[in-house]
């Protein structure tokens, strides 16, 4: 029987790229051919040279359609098979290869916010506000959490797809949630994070809520949404000093990192709401007001990983992981 392969790619929308997908009917999944699309409809090509190429790079079972159907994440190429300018994965592949000997692992915490219409889920539709933040983070009860049915359905879909989700939690602002992917290698964590995002949007359709990655969904005294990026090298997992060295290395390339940590980062990294100002760089043990946190267990055990708290929820994991691999990998002896 024929199967349905959902070909998924990242488009050319500015300033933040969106996801697109379309369905290919195939005899079976034994061979995933390249495919094409109209780049003039995705901000990836002019109308008179509209053809772009989809190159499959990662596939998994489709937990929504079930059966033998699959999801297929693709890189976008020009028709001469070189990487499209919107294809950040190609450069990440090169950085991952260059520093393969460091054995980087990443665990990314993806925060997001559900919206129903123009308002976050849990915010009154008359334009008023819910009770101030305090009880929502990891909360329980109909007055504290909004959208748990969607979250549970997303988690199940991710696990059915074989994605390496390591946990979920309700966040500080009502309607805001988080899932974590990893620890995994550089390309693997990025591919799986994009796939988990796709499933989040797709599952949202079923519940008629939209999942958004806006970094500062509500102005004022409401937490923004980030994508804390935890990472380690083999050396960091074996002793303490390489963790400090990595934190120091990040401090030598502050602007280069902020530039790829997601559009609107200035609005989120204000120095309030568990963030450090994007203008200053700091790191510290257990410090959730620092740019980079060294978890207390890492200090206690004398080895582990560190957490870059700066990336926005709307960041591209290909760009963030590649930048970290470049900075930390190049600095490591
Ligand atoms: P918190 O909310 O306290 O900042 P989370 O539990 O949400 O932390 O996320 C921690 C992340 O760190 C998880 O995604 C986990 O996979 C990741 N992680 C744990 N150990 C390592 C490691 N050695 N290298 C990279 N990432 C790691
Ligand atoms: Mn977390
Ligand atoms: Mn969080
Ligand atoms: Mn965190």
């Amino acid at each position: 029987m024929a199967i349905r392969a959902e070909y998924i790619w990242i488009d050319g929308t500015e300033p933040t790229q969106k996801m697109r997908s379309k369905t290919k009917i195939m005899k079976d999944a034994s061979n995933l051919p390249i495919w094409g699309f109209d780049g003039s409809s995705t901000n990836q090509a002019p109308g008179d040279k509209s053809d772009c190429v989809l190159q499959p790079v990662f596939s998994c079972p489709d937990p929504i359609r079930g059966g033998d159907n699959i999801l297929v994440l693709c890189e976008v190429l020009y028709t001469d098979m070189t990487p499209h300018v919107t294809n950040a994965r190609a450069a990440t592949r090169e950085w991952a290869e260059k520093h393969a000997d460091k054995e980087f692992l990443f665990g990314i915490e993806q925060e997001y916010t559900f919206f129903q219409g123009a308002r976050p889920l849990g915010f009154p539709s008359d334009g008023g506000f819910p009770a101030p933040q305090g009880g929502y983070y990891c909360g329980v009860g109909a007055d504290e959490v909004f959208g748990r049915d969607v979250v549970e359905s997303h988690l199940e879909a991710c696990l059915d797809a074989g994605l390496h989700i390591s946990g979920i939690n309700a966040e500080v602002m009502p309607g805001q949630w988080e899932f974590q992917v990893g620890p995994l290698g550089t390309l693997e964590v990025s591919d799986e994070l994009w796939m988990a995002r796709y499933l989040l949007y797709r599952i949202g359709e079923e519940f008629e809520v939209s999942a958004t990655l806006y970094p500062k969904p509500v102005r004022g005294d409401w937490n923004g949404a980030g994508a804390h990026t935890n990472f380690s090298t083999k050396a960091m997992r074996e002793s303490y000093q390489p963790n400090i060295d990595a934190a120091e290395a990040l401090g030598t390339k502050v602007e280069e990192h902020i530039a790829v940590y997601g559009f609107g980062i200035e609005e989120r990294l204000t120095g309030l709401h568990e963030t450090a100002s994007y203008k200053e760089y700091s790191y510290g043990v257990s410090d959730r007001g620092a740019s980079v946190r060294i978890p207390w267990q890492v200090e206690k055990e004398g080895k582990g990983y560190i957490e870059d708290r700066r990336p926005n929820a709307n960041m591209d994991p290909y760009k963030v992981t590649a930048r970290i691999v470049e900075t930390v990998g190049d600095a490591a002896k």
Side-chain angles (χ1 to χ4, degrees):
M1 203 182 80
I3 66 153
R4 285 157 285 174
E6 193 70 10
Y7 272 54
I8 302 166
W9 73 98
I10 297 155
D11 76 3
T13 304
E14 291 174 352
T16 301
Q17 292 170 270
K18 294 176 190 266
M19 304 192 82
R20 308 273 180 148
S21 77
K22 57 178 186 156
T23 309
K24 189 173 184 58
I25 310 299
M26 306 200 309
K27 279 211 185 71
D28 58 65
S30 60
N31 167 44
L32 299 177
I34 59 169
W35 202 17
F37 68 97
D38 167 14
S40 71
S41 298
T42 62
N43 204 30
Q44 286 170 305
D48 59 348
K49 283 198 192 101
S50 65
D51 286 333
C52 290
V53 174
L54 292 173
Q55 169 74 64
V57 291
F58 170 67
S59 71
C60 62
D62 181 342
I64 295 167
R65 287 177 168 146
D68 290 330
N69 301 303
I70 54 171
L71 303 176
V72 182
L73 186 70
C74 300
E75 278 191 31
V76 176
L77 309 178
Y78 294 109
T79 50
D80 68 359
M81 300 298 143
T82 60
H84 194 272
V85 64
T86 59
N87 173 356
R89 189 181 188 278
T92 310
R93 204 175 346 109
E94 286 173 20
W95 281 110
E97 277 165 21
K98 181 178 178 206
H99 288 300
D101 61 320
K102 316 284 187 314
E103 298 182 28
F104 274 91
L105 286 178
F106 288 88
I108 300 179
E109 306 168 49
Q110 176 69 67
E111 294 180 344
Y112 59 93
T113 312
F114 287 131
F115 269 72
Q116 211 155 32
R119 306 227 80 198
L121 202 62
F123 279 57
S125 51
D126 64 6
F129 288 89
Q133 292 181 166
Y136 306 116
Y137 171 74
C138 297
V140 59
D143 53 339
E144 303 285 10
V145 297
F146 306 92
R148 195 189 294 278
D149 48 353
V150 196
V151 173
E152 288 292 328
S153 179
H154 174 248
L155 176 61
E156 196 170 315
C158 287
L159 296 176
D160 288 349
L163 303 184
H164 296 80
I165 303 291
S166 62
I168 58 170
N169 60 268
E171 269 302 336
V172 175
M173 191 185 96
Q176 208 169 69
W177 294 82
E178 167 180 316
F179 63 85
Q180 302 108 32
V181 182
L184 287 170
T186 309
L187 277 178
E188 291 79 5
V189 78
S190 304
D191 290 343
E192 290 203 15
L193 181 58
W194 276 114
M195 203 60 114
R197 285 174 174 180
Y198 172 83
L199 285 172
L200 185 63
Y201 301 135
R202 182 63 191 78
I203 293 285
E205 290 177 13
E206 311 282 310
F207 293 85
E208 294 184 23
V209 298
S210 55
T212 68
L213 304 185
Y214 303 137
K216 191 73 184 177
V218 187
R219 294 229 176 96
D221 231 355
W222 302 95
N223 271 35
H228 298 166
T229 301
N230 303 270
F231 69 92
S232 59
T233 58
K234 186 164 185 280
M236 291 164 72
R237 293 188 291 275
E238 287 173 349
S239 63
Y240 192 61
Q241 188 58 38
N243 289 275
I244 302 297
D245 294 345
E248 288 283 342
L250 292 176
T252 65
K253 303 271 185 210
V254 175
E255 280 169 23
E256 292 88 334
H257 281 254
I258 293 296
V260 293
Y261 278 10
F263 181 77
I265 199 160
E266 305 81 3
E267 274 179 68
R268 177 176 146 265
L269 297 187
T270 56
L272 301 172
H273 307 110
E274 299 177 56
T275 69
S277 165
Y278 71 96
K279 292 179 201 144
E280 287 149 35
Y281 176 82
S282 59
Y283 69 88
V285 175
S286 283
D287 189 352
R288 287 175 198 269
S291 317
V292 168
R293 177 177 67 104
I294 302 172
W296 67 269
Q297 304 97 314
V298 175
E299 188 188 47
K300 183 159 177 263
E301 292 170 17
K303 60 183 179 182
Y305 66 97
I306 65 174
E307 174 191 46
D308 192 337
R309 301 176 57 78
R310 297 171 294 171
N312 268 355
N314 62 352
M315 60 77 148
D316 179 347
Y318 295 131
K319 294 182 185 163
V320 169
T321 58
R323 188 61 244 189
I324 290 173
V325 167
E326 178 178 356
T327 299
V328 174
D330 283 356
K333 294 291 164 304

